[in-house]
Amino acid sequence: MTARIETISIQQARKLILHSQRAIPLKKNGSSIDATLSVIEHLGYIQIDTISAIERAHHHTLWNRNPHYNYSHLDKLVSNKQVFEYWAHAAAYLPMKDYRYSLPRKKAIASGQEKHWHLRDENLMKSILNRIAKEGPLMAKDFESENTETLGWDSKPVKQALGNLFMQGDIMISSRRNFHKVYDLPENVLPNNIDSSMPTEEEHLRFLINQFLRANGLGQASEICYLLKNIKSKVSSAIKEMELSGELLRLSVANNDYFALPVSMDLLNKPLSKIKAKILSPFDNLLIQRKRTKIFFDFDYLLECYVPASKRKFGYFVLPILWDGRLVARMDCKADRKRSKLLIHSIVLESHMKRTEDFVIAFAKELCLFMEFNNCNSIMIHNTTPDNFKLVLQGLTNKTSPN
């Protein structure tokens, strides 16, 4: 049987990706926290990050997809046992309904099949696990007591031991206090009705494929396996089987083959909003795979906070700007919380940006919303490229801002 191949353009591929990512929020019925849960369940994960130049990435990513997002939502969803913390390609919030699909990785780490970066101290791990079992939820600092010297519980070994126990599934994060993790036994964190059975290899592979394509529109085996070890050949085989059975559609984009769920193709008939701009987190699900971002959006992006200051091209914490189906600009900014000012160090428009007058109106509106999201009440713009963009944008933000 010969599989059918459908050819779509780069523009259509971008449209499929953006709709699948819910990059422009859908109108949702129900409560605002239900909308937040819907986003997490659809995307499959929300990356957690500690950088606080602006509001942290997990809040930012959710706010972009749920205009009524509240900072308390994540804590409430964890408390309600509807989401949990574990590892996607990085530390993340994941839907509780997908809990069983975290088990293969935990098993691989516990058995030594997959190596984790923390050093293993089995005695220390056992001691920590026993204390949590006896005393209940504990933080890393709870193991740093007057007995530190005699027990050998230095903060670094403790955190490594906690990391190992967490990654192999012996403990879970039950909550956070001032962003510090609180650990407990899984039976105290998981809901009573959770399916905790180990998925078969076929179930796990199909889950990875379906989840990625539902959230990202189209993809290849290498993208589905991003930062997952020893699984690409198995995913490729599963993709072939699903294609032959009609569960997947093969797409040709710029002479490269991708795969999509047939139902996702209906999204190509759905218009994209051309009047809204979105300021994206560097850790937004849309941007995580930088090679993919370059291929589909022609946007060469590097987060330069990890680059020495002297070698930075665009700035410390640069946020890509989405508008009219493309990534059209990048903004380096910081929330000055003491003065309640959103400081815009620089904004650089991409060379392909032609409709500057239309964009600046949309961007000014979004920038004022972004200012409020960061608990600021004014915007200070320092530099823009081109230079004349600064004056127009500052004028519009002054008019648009409620303050």
Side-chain angles (χ1 to χ4, degrees), residues 81 187 190-195:
K81 302 186 177 184
E187 57 259 38
L190 297 173
N192 294 331
N193 61 347
I194 193 70
D195 183 353

Side-chain angles (χ1 to χ4, degrees), residues 60 71 103 118 142 170 180 262 277 319 333 343 355 368 373 384:
H60 188 176
Y71 301 117
L103 298 177
H118 291 320
D142 294 319
D170 289 332
H180 294 290
L319 313 180
C333 64
L343 306 178
R355 295 165 50 210
C368 289
F373 168 66
T384 67

Side-chain angles (χ1 to χ4, degrees), residues 335-370:
D336 183 340
R337 295 175 176 88
K338 290 183 178 180
R339 296 189 294 162
S340 297
K341 284 183 179 291
L342 182 63
L343 306 178
I344 311 298
H345 302 309
S346 69
I347 299 171
V348 179
L349 304 190
E350 293 294 288
S351 59
H352 62 73
M353 166 57 75
K354 304 301 180 186
R355 295 165 50 210
T356 307
E357 292 182 4
D358 293 333
F359 168 65
V360 72
I361 294 171
F363 182 52
K365 291 179 181 178
E366 185 64 16
L367 192 55
C368 289
L369 293 173
F370 188 68

Side-chain angles (χ1 to χ4, degrees), residues 183-231:
Y183 296 96
D184 202 350
L185 300 181
E187 57 259 38
N188 298 326
V189 178
L190 297 173
N192 294 331
N193 61 347
I194 193 70
D195 183 353
S196 58
S197 61
M198 179 68 68
T200 65
E201 183 174 78
E202 181 184 1
E203 285 178 319
H204 188 219
L205 293 171
R206 292 172 68 89
F207 168 78
L208 292 174
I209 294 165
N210 280 308
Q211 176 60 61
F212 183 90
L213 296 181
R214 184 167 60 250
N216 294 279
L218 73 167
Q220 299 173 326
S222 60
E223 296 169 342
I224 294 168
C225 299
Y226 180 65
L227 297 185
L228 296 176
K229 298 178 181 178
N230 308 318
I231 201 172

Side-chain angles (χ1 to χ4, degrees), residues 18 46 84 124 136 144 172 194 199 224 261 285 338 361 370 395:
L18 292 171
I46 297 293
F84 70 104
L124 181 57
E144 300 162 14
M172 295 181 69
I194 193 70
I224 294 168
L261 299 171
N285 298 50
K338 290 183 178 180
I361 294 171
F370 188 68

